Amino acid sequence: MDVSTNAHVESARIQKQIEDHLGLDSSQLLFDFRPMEDRMRLDLITVNPRHHQSFLLHTVTGYDRVDALRKMLDYVRQSRDQENSFTIQWMARGERELNTSYFRASNMYDALDKLYYGRDMNTITVFSVVLNPVS
């Protein structure tokens, strides 16, 4: 078995661990890899099955795909203890339904960045951002 095959198997194994830890299935997570100069960037994106919107969960950089996935797995295991929980109420342009989404972030601005990730800011109206109490 060559090294690239092992890397693919390891990547699949770690992705499954991330899915399991988050309690989401593969249709609700997008692993967006982007090569940088000498690193690999991984944006982990969640897709909400109810309102079909996607949001950034977290971004890491690693030496390669497997290293980035390992860092992402560490993040999802530790984010509950290291980041604040925010509730954001918002409405998509042209819709009448108020949506509620939850984010882990270091501050309110990071939570909003995750909400607006990959979209024009004018497509969503934010009604409230609330720092949730620590439980």
Side-chain angles (χ1 to χ4, degrees):
M1 186 178 285
D2 67 31
V3 174
S4 64
T5 303
N6 287 338
H8 294 303
V9 171
E10 182 68 2
S11 292
R13 186 185 65 76
I14 298 169
Q15 285 182 7
K16 179 70 172 127
Q17 287 180 313
I18 291 169
E19 292 167 12
D20 291 348
H21 189 80
L22 293 173
L24 301 174
D25 64 42
S26 61
S27 67
Q28 296 172 291
L29 287 176
L30 299 171
F31 293 86
D32 186 15
F33 292 95
R34 295 185 195 168
M36 298 168 60
E37 287 183 20
D38 62 340
R39 313 273 276 162
M40 183 63 70
R41 174 182 165 152
L42 169 57
D43 293 339
L44 184 55
I45 301 162
T46 60
V47 178
N48 186 295
R50 191 176 66 73
H51 52 62
H52 307 290
Q53 295 289 327
S54 63
F55 303 110
L56 178 67
L57 181 79
H58 190 64
T59 298
V60 296
T61 56
Y63 295 107
D64 57 22
R65 285 176 175 247
V66 172
D67 185 49
L69 283 165
R70 285 183 182 134
K71 289 179 179 180
M72 188 63 74
L73 180 58
D74 288 343
Y75 169 80
V76 299
R77 286 178 173 163
Q78 298 171 7
S79 65
R80 181 171 298 279
D81 298 328
Q82 295 179 347
E83 292 190 316
N84 296 311
S85 172
F86 291 89
T87 300
I88 300 179
Q89 290 191 306
W90 57 275
M91 188 179 301
R93 182 173 53 200
E95 294 185 8
R96 294 181 178 258
E97 183 178 353
L98 185 66
N99 295 291
T100 302
S101 296
Y102 305 93
F103 297 87
R104 287 265 172 207
S106 56
N107 59 55
M108 173 183 70
Y109 299 108
D110 288 340
L112 287 168
D113 285 344
K114 290 179 176 189
L115 174 81
Y116 285 118
Y117 174 83
R119 66 173 47 90
D120 179 343
M121 290 181 72
N122 296 314
T123 62
I124 290 181
T125 301
V126 172
F127 290 94
S128 69
V129 179
V130 175
L131 174 61
N132 299 321
V134 177
S135 57

